[in-house]
Amino acid sequence: MTADLFDGLEAAGPAREALAPGAVLLRGFAWPQQAELLAAIDTITAQASFRRMVTPGGHQMSVAMTNCGPVGWVTDRGGYRYDPIDPQSGQPWPAMPELFRELAETAAREAGFAGFAPDACLINRYEPGAKMSLHQDRDERDVGAPIVSVSLGLPATFLFGGLKRTDKTQRYRLVHGDVVVWGGPARLAFHGVASLADGEHALLGRRRINLTFRRAR
Ligand code: SIN
Ligand code: FE2
């Protein structure tokens, strides 16, 4: 590790930060794989492009999404669900790269959740002003498995609360390469992302990309 990189990590905070029992922020965990991750995202989105989906209430989301893996998370007027078929193309979602699986599995293990085998990877793209309101990830059949979330590109403010919507939330700055894992007692914690501040990232420009790995079925 170079002195510069070490300084950067120290400036961002400790390498490992507990958010709550069962929830941990692993600073820079995805940093070594960044180039391969971005190349894989380009390949995936060439097949299954980013689109802004509509919520069951008829609201168009500000975050653009796509998926890879056996199933993908989708929302439309009919509700939220995991679907093996991309409704935009009528084809299965692109395969989940081995690199993605390995990163998710090793991050989960590092956080105390060995044996994580994701079958869904939601890919979120935030442009300045895009946000994700406070929500729980509860469309997965088995909430025994954790959620692994990888941040790339522009920094974001991640909100992490408790099991009730009204519980106080803490704010964390997530930067390129950071990974957050939540499971066990934190698996159904409310979380969200504040409106993305404008900026310019060396590799992603005016964008943040987030990967969330789930065990959906
Ligand atoms: C999500 O909750 O699905 C996304 C979280 C993030 O973008 O960091
Ligand atoms: Fe979520």
Side-chain angles (χ1 to χ4, degrees), residues 124-127 149-156 158 174 193 196 204-210:
N124 293 313
R125 185 191 69 197
Y126 297 73
E127 287 176 338
S149 159
V150 177
S151 290
L152 297 166
L154 285 180
F158 183 59
L174 299 183
V193 177
L196 193 79
L204 278 167
R206 298 175 73 209
R207 290 182 297 163
R208 168 179 188 254
I209 290 181
N210 167 263

Short mmCIF file of all heavy atoms in Angstrom, two decimals, residues 124-127 149-156 158 174 193 196 204-210:
data_model
loop_
_atom_site.label_atom_id
_atom_site.label_comp_id
_atom_site.label_asym_id
_atom_site.label_seq_id
_atom_site.Cartn_x
_atom_site.Cartn_y
_atom_site.Cartn_z
N ASN A 124 -27.37 0.30 -9.01
CA ASN A 124 -28.03 1.61 -8.93
C ASN A 124 -27.10 2.68 -9.49
O ASN A 124 -25.92 2.71 -9.16
CB ASN A 124 -28.28 1.98 -7.46
CG ASN A 124 -29.30 1.09 -6.79
OD1 ASN A 124 -30.37 0.84 -7.34
ND2 ASN A 124 -28.99 0.61 -5.59
N ARG A 125 -27.65 3.55 -10.30
CA ARG A 125 -26.86 4.68 -10.80
C ARG A 125 -27.48 6.00 -10.32
O ARG A 125 -28.65 6.28 -10.60
CB ARG A 125 -26.82 4.70 -12.33
CG ARG A 125 -25.90 5.81 -12.86
CD ARG A 125 -26.05 6.02 -14.35
NE ARG A 125 -27.36 6.59 -14.66
CZ ARG A 125 -27.91 6.58 -15.88
NH1 ARG A 125 -27.29 6.00 -16.89
NH2 ARG A 125 -29.11 7.11 -16.09
N TYR A 126 -26.67 6.77 -9.59
CA TYR A 126 -27.11 8.07 -9.08
C TYR A 126 -26.43 9.16 -9.86
O TYR A 126 -25.21 9.14 -10.03
CB TYR A 126 -26.71 8.24 -7.61
CG TYR A 126 -27.33 7.27 -6.64
CD1 TYR A 126 -26.91 5.93 -6.60
CD2 TYR A 126 -28.29 7.69 -5.72
CE1 TYR A 126 -27.46 5.05 -5.68
CE2 TYR A 126 -28.84 6.80 -4.80
CZ TYR A 126 -28.43 5.49 -4.78
OH TYR A 126 -28.96 4.61 -3.88
N GLU A 127 -27.22 10.14 -10.34
CA GLU A 127 -26.65 11.36 -10.90
C GLU A 127 -26.96 12.47 -9.90
O GLU A 127 -27.75 12.26 -8.98
CB GLU A 127 -27.25 11.58 -12.30
CG GLU A 127 -26.64 10.56 -13.25
CD GLU A 127 -27.19 10.56 -14.67
OE1 GLU A 127 -28.31 11.03 -14.89
OE2 GLU A 127 -26.45 10.06 -15.55
N SER A 149 -23.27 -4.04 0.07
CA SER A 149 -23.43 -2.85 -0.77
C SER A 149 -22.06 -2.24 -1.09
O SER A 149 -21.29 -1.92 -0.20
CB SER A 149 -24.32 -1.88 0.02
OG SER A 149 -24.15 -0.57 -0.44
N VAL A 150 -21.79 -2.08 -2.39
CA VAL A 150 -20.49 -1.59 -2.86
C VAL A 150 -20.68 -0.21 -3.50
O VAL A 150 -21.52 -0.06 -4.38
CB VAL A 150 -19.90 -2.57 -3.90
CG1 VAL A 150 -18.58 -2.06 -4.47
CG2 VAL A 150 -19.75 -3.96 -3.31
N SER A 151 -19.91 0.77 -3.06
CA SER A 151 -20.02 2.13 -3.59
C SER A 151 -18.89 2.44 -4.55
O SER A 151 -17.73 2.20 -4.23
CB SER A 151 -19.96 3.14 -2.43
OG SER A 151 -21.13 3.06 -1.64
N LEU A 152 -19.23 3.04 -5.69
CA LEU A 152 -18.24 3.44 -6.70
C LEU A 152 -18.58 4.84 -7.20
O LEU A 152 -19.76 5.21 -7.26
CB LEU A 152 -18.27 2.46 -7.88
CG LEU A 152 -17.89 1.00 -7.54
CD1 LEU A 152 -18.28 0.05 -8.67
CD2 LEU A 152 -16.40 0.88 -7.24
N GLY A 153 -17.57 5.60 -7.55
CA GLY A 153 -17.81 6.92 -8.12
C GLY A 153 -17.97 8.00 -7.07
O GLY A 153 -17.30 7.97 -6.03
N LEU A 154 -18.84 8.96 -7.36
CA LEU A 154 -19.00 10.12 -6.46
C LEU A 154 -19.37 9.69 -5.04
O LEU A 154 -20.09 8.72 -4.86
CB LEU A 154 -20.10 11.05 -6.99
CG LEU A 154 -19.77 11.93 -8.19
CD1 LEU A 154 -21.00 12.77 -8.55
CD2 LEU A 154 -18.58 12.82 -7.92
N PRO A 155 -18.90 10.45 -4.05
CA PRO A 155 -19.27 10.16 -2.66
C PRO A 155 -20.76 10.40 -2.41
O PRO A 155 -21.38 11.24 -3.06
CB PRO A 155 -18.46 11.17 -1.84
CG PRO A 155 -17.63 11.95 -2.78
CD PRO A 155 -18.00 11.61 -4.17
N ALA A 156 -21.29 9.64 -1.46
CA ALA A 156 -22.70 9.79 -1.11
C ALA A 156 -22.84 9.83 0.41
O ALA A 156 -21.96 9.37 1.14
CB ALA A 156 -23.50 8.61 -1.65
N PHE A 158 -24.87 8.16 3.19
CA PHE A 158 -25.69 6.97 3.45
C PHE A 158 -26.36 7.17 4.80
O PHE A 158 -25.69 7.53 5.78
CB PHE A 158 -24.76 5.76 3.46
CG PHE A 158 -25.44 4.43 3.63
CD1 PHE A 158 -26.41 3.99 2.74
CD2 PHE A 158 -25.09 3.59 4.69
CE1 PHE A 158 -27.02 2.75 2.88
CE2 PHE A 158 -25.68 2.34 4.84
CZ PHE A 158 -26.64 1.92 3.93
N LEU A 174 -19.98 7.67 2.12
CA LEU A 174 -19.45 6.50 1.41
C LEU A 174 -18.73 6.97 0.18
O LEU A 174 -19.28 7.72 -0.63
CB LEU A 174 -20.59 5.56 1.01
CG LEU A 174 -21.43 4.97 2.14
CD1 LEU A 174 -22.46 4.00 1.57
CD2 LEU A 174 -20.54 4.28 3.18
N VAL A 193 -30.27 6.94 0.88
CA VAL A 193 -29.15 7.74 0.38
C VAL A 193 -29.65 9.17 0.15
O VAL A 193 -30.68 9.37 -0.52
CB VAL A 193 -28.59 7.14 -0.94
CG1 VAL A 193 -27.47 8.01 -1.51
CG2 VAL A 193 -28.07 5.72 -0.69
N LEU A 196 -27.71 13.17 -4.11
CA LEU A 196 -26.28 13.15 -4.47
C LEU A 196 -25.79 14.55 -4.81
O LEU A 196 -26.37 15.23 -5.65
CB LEU A 196 -26.06 12.21 -5.66
CG LEU A 196 -24.58 11.87 -5.92
CD1 LEU A 196 -24.09 10.80 -4.95
CD2 LEU A 196 -24.35 11.41 -7.36
N LEU A 204 -15.64 7.87 -12.91
CA LEU A 204 -17.07 7.78 -13.22
C LEU A 204 -17.73 9.12 -13.54
O LEU A 204 -18.94 9.16 -13.79
CB LEU A 204 -17.80 7.08 -12.08
CG LEU A 204 -17.71 5.54 -12.16
CD1 LEU A 204 -18.16 4.90 -10.87
CD2 LEU A 204 -18.52 5.02 -13.33
N GLY A 205 -16.95 10.19 -13.52
CA GLY A 205 -17.55 11.49 -13.85
C GLY A 205 -18.59 11.91 -12.83
O GLY A 205 -18.38 11.76 -11.63
N ARG A 206 -19.74 12.37 -13.34
CA ARG A 206 -20.77 12.90 -12.44
C ARG A 206 -21.74 11.80 -12.04
O ARG A 206 -22.96 11.95 -12.16
CB ARG A 206 -21.51 14.04 -13.13
CG ARG A 206 -20.62 15.21 -13.48
CD ARG A 206 -21.37 16.25 -14.27
NE ARG A 206 -22.32 16.98 -13.44
CZ ARG A 206 -23.44 17.53 -13.90
NH1 ARG A 206 -23.77 17.40 -15.16
NH2 ARG A 206 -24.23 18.19 -13.08
N ARG A 207 -21.21 10.69 -11.59
CA ARG A 207 -22.08 9.55 -11.27
C ARG A 207 -21.60 8.80 -10.04
O ARG A 207 -20.40 8.75 -9.76
CB ARG A 207 -22.07 8.53 -12.42
CG ARG A 207 -22.76 8.99 -13.67
CD ARG A 207 -22.73 7.90 -14.71
NE ARG A 207 -21.36 7.57 -15.10
CZ ARG A 207 -20.98 6.47 -15.74
NH1 ARG A 207 -21.87 5.56 -16.08
NH2 ARG A 207 -19.73 6.26 -16.04
N ARG A 208 -22.56 8.20 -9.37
CA ARG A 208 -22.23 7.20 -8.35
C ARG A 208 -22.90 5.91 -8.78
O ARG A 208 -24.05 5.93 -9.21
CB ARG A 208 -22.76 7.61 -6.99
CG ARG A 208 -22.70 6.49 -5.96
CD ARG A 208 -23.21 6.92 -4.60
NE ARG A 208 -22.96 5.91 -3.61
CZ ARG A 208 -23.91 5.11 -3.08
NH1 ARG A 208 -25.18 5.24 -3.45
NH2 ARG A 208 -23.60 4.20 -2.19
N ILE A 209 -22.18 4.82 -8.68
CA ILE A 209 -22.78 3.51 -8.94
C ILE A 209 -22.68 2.68 -7.67
O ILE A 209 -21.65 2.67 -6.99
CB ILE A 209 -22.13 2.83 -10.16
CG1 ILE A 209 -22.54 3.60 -11.43
CG2 ILE A 209 -22.57 1.37 -10.26
CD1 ILE A 209 -22.02 3.05 -12.72
N ASN A 210 -23.78 2.05 -7.33
CA ASN A 210 -23.83 1.20 -6.14
C ASN A 210 -24.30 -0.18 -6.56
O ASN A 210 -25.24 -0.32 -7.34
CB ASN A 210 -24.82 1.82 -5.13
CG ASN A 210 -25.18 0.87 -4.01
OD1 ASN A 210 -26.20 0.20 -4.07
ND2 ASN A 210 -24.34 0.77 -3.01
#
